[in-house]
Amino acid sequence: MTLRKGEKMTISIQEHMAIDVCPGPIKPIKQISDYFPRFPRGLPAAVGRSGSALRPAVSQPSVSPAEGHRDDDEDVDQLFGAHGTTPAEQPARSQAPEEVVDPEGYESDDCTALGTLDFSLLYDQENNALHCTINKAKGLKPMDHNGLADPYVKLHLLPGASKANKLRTKTLRNTLNPTWNETLTYYGITDEDMIRKTLRISVCDEDKFRHNEFIGETRIPLKKLKPNQTKNFNICLEKQLPIDKTEDKSLEERGRILVSLKYSSQKQGLLVGIIRCAHLAAMDANGYSDPYVKIYLKPDEDKKSKHKTAVKKKTLNPEFNEEFFYEIKHGDLAKKTLEVTVWDYDIGKSNDFIGGVVLGINAKGERLKHWFDCLKNKDKKIERWHTLTNELPGAVLSD
């Protein structure tokens, strides 16, 4: 373009927006895409369809601060130069791009996307206890803005996931590879439970200002365990599985109670021990109960057989360790029935019935066997766990 003498050069608004108005040679204005080069404009279509030729550009996802100040023309020239070379001139690393490994161990594979959990289980048959040792987790899914999580582990026994049978570990802060080394124990576990129940192990992220978030879970049928043998697990966490809401209502329990019986020849009477309860039904609005236990030896003609334990506040797994004595001849025990009931204490209103169990010659199953063993083995303390039922035949459900 030539200008006559005295004429001023005019620039259209389109040209003005496309050039750098600073003194010096005209250069294109830098665009955001120039700092994250992928495919330069004007790349031939034939090159764009070549997968192997594009790998060097894809393997450079970001630019270091030192490289960020390089001249744009150099970047473009290098990109075009790389694509313009023959296959024989391509660098060896373009054939096999490097694998990117996250420093925290988080992998994107389907199996380990949520992380892995290392734990062990032991069923102590003699003491009716299930010991769950939570060792560590690895490569948990990041849940917080800092790319980390505040993980803890909680346990439920299915069927019947509720606060009554929930156990949990402590929370570890800012880690995707936590190590707990904690042992959580369920008491009152029977051989029947080991056949029909499943242990649900969930890993969650604790959040102080919002609801805690679920990370992953696994479920172990207890029938896989052998009595008195520790079984180790190291398995991948899975997404949350639905809980069957149509469970058989006959499996619904009100809790367990550990009772000891002993007929003392020296004292000429029956010693009844109320040791502890486990997995009691929650009766209060806070999700807990304030339980205590009452016992009767019936028929009770003199109305003097009632005994009560102390009240344990806000718990579903109370320990009582109290013992009561009934003076009675050994021969008369066969005609008696021991009623054990568990109640929730309430101030200012009637107490709530949680559940009960009857031991005696007319009972069935473990309840009959416990009573029979007591009569047969004088001066020997015999402990048994019993399941509490909703209804207690012959009992008055009021306190």
Side-chain angles (χ1 to χ4, degrees):
M1 177 180 178
T2 58
L3 296 175
R4 295 179 183 178
K5 190 176 181 179
E7 285 185 352
K8 294 184 178 179
M9 184 177 182
T10 59
I11 301 176
S12 67
I13 187 64
Q14 290 85 356
E15 293 173 313
H16 178 77
M17 296 298 292
I19 63 174
D20 192 336
V21 295
C22 294
I26 296 175
K27 297 170 61 177
I29 295 177
K30 294 179 181 179
Q31 301 182 24
I32 292 296
S33 60
D34 292 334
Y35 294 97
F36 303 93
R38 292 282 180 172
F39 309 107
R41 292 184 179 181
L43 192 64
V47 177
R49 289 191 296 269
S50 175
S52 62
L54 298 182
R55 283 180 181 173
V58 177
S59 65
Q60 302 292 335
S62 61
V63 181
S64 66
E67 295 172 332
H69 295 291
R70 294 188 307 174
D71 192 278
D72 297 343
D73 294 335
E74 294 178 12
D75 293 334
V76 173
D77 289 343
Q78 287 194 4
L79 285 168
F80 274 110
H83 294 301
T85 54
T86 62
E89 296 171 340
Q90 289 291 336
R93 60 187 174 89
S94 66
Q95 303 292 335
E98 293 183 6
E99 182 180 358
V100 179
V101 180
D102 190 281
E104 275 285 342
Y106 174 64
E107 302 174 41
S108 60
D109 186 81
D110 289 343
C111 178
T112 56
L114 302 175
T116 59
L117 185 65
D118 183 287
F119 61 96
S120 63
L121 302 176
L122 170 63
Y123 172 48
D124 183 352
Q125 189 176 36
E126 182 180 354
N127 296 308
N128 296 104
L130 176 64
H131 302 289
C132 313
T133 300
I134 308 299
N135 297 319
K136 60 184 178 180
K138 183 180 179 182
L140 294 180
K141 179 182 177 182
M143 303 299 291
D144 298 337
H145 295 301
N146 60 3
L148 300 173
D150 301 321
Y152 66 93
V153 177
K154 64 179 180 179
L155 310 179
H156 286 112
L157 281 176
L158 303 177
S162 67
K163 284 188 177 181
N165 64 42
K166 183 180 80 172
L167 301 176
R168 62 163 285 174
T169 67
K170 60 188 176 184
T171 300
L172 299 181
R173 303 290 176 186
N174 296 323
T175 179
L176 299 181
N177 300 291
T179 299
W180 289 282
N181 289 329
E182 279 190 58
T183 298
L184 308 174
T185 301
Y186 281 105
Y187 295 99
I189 301 298
T190 64
D191 291 342
E192 182 185 354
D193 292 328
M194 297 301 294
I195 294 173
R196 68 181 184 88
K197 284 189 177 287
T198 296
L199 179 65
R200 179 191 183 194
I201 306 177
S202 307
V203 181
C204 301
D205 171 59
E206 185 176 290
D207 198 314
K208 292 183 178 179
F209 305 105
R210 296 180 298 174
H211 291 296
N212 296 343
E213 296 179 288
F214 174 86
I215 296 178
E217 72 169 41
T218 186
R219 299 187 185 184
I220 306 295
L222 296 185
K223 62 185 178 182
K224 288 186 175 182
L225 305 181
K226 295 182 179 179
N228 306 313
Q229 293 185 20
T230 301
K231 188 175 179 68
N232 297 309
F233 298 86
N234 191 340
I235 55 182
C236 297
L237 297 173
E238 303 176 72
K239 295 180 180 179
Q240 193 163 15
L241 302 172
I243 297 177
D244 187 8
K245 300 295 184 181
T246 61
E247 299 172 345
D248 185 357
K249 292 300 180 181
S250 65
L251 299 179
E252 186 178 349
E253 299 173 359
R254 307 291 288 179
R256 307 283 178 86
I257 187 168
L258 180 57
V259 179
S260 69
L261 298 177
K262 175 185 174 181
Y263 185 82
S264 174
S265 301
Q266 183 180 1
K267 295 183 178 180
Q268 289 291 303
L270 177 67
L271 288 166
V272 180
I274 304 299
I275 302 171
R276 68 188 305 162
C277 293
H279 324 322
L280 294 180
M283 306 302 290
D284 296 337
N286 61 7
Y288 294 95
S289 293
D290 300 320
Y292 68 96
V293 179
K294 288 193 310 178
I295 61 174
Y296 291 91
L297 191 61
K298 294 188 173 182
D300 183 18
E301 299 173 355
D302 299 330
K303 307 293 183 182
K304 294 181 179 180
S305 72
K306 176 181 174 182
H307 290 292
K308 293 171 64 173
T309 68
V311 176
K312 302 295 180 179
K313 294 289 186 179
K314 197 179 178 182
T315 178
L316 301 177
N317 297 281
E319 290 189 46
F320 298 101
N321 293 316
E322 296 187 39
E323 197 169 61
F324 306 98
F325 178 73
Y326 290 105
E327 186 176 348
I328 186 173
K329 294 178 181 180
H330 183 266
D332 293 338
L333 274 181
K335 306 172 186 176
K336 295 288 186 178
T337 296
L338 182 68
E339 282 187 4
V340 182
T341 55
V342 184
W343 299 78
D344 170 53
Y345 177 75
D346 287 318
I347 300 176
K349 58 179 182 179
S350 60
N351 299 327
D352 298 317
F353 173 72
I354 296 177
V357 63
V358 176
L359 307 179
I361 202 69
N362 295 319
K364 296 180 180 180
E366 281 295 317
R367 295 167 293 167
L368 173 61
K369 187 175 185 300
H370 193 185
W371 191 255
F372 179 77
D373 288 345
C374 172
L375 297 179
K376 185 179 178 181
N377 300 282
K378 292 183 180 180
D379 300 311
K380 181 180 179 181
K381 181 183 288 188
I382 301 173
E383 295 182 358
R384 291 279 194 282
W385 281 96
H386 297 286
T387 300
L388 300 174
T389 58
N390 289 314
E391 297 181 358
L392 193 56
V396 179
L397 299 185
S398 61
D399 188 22

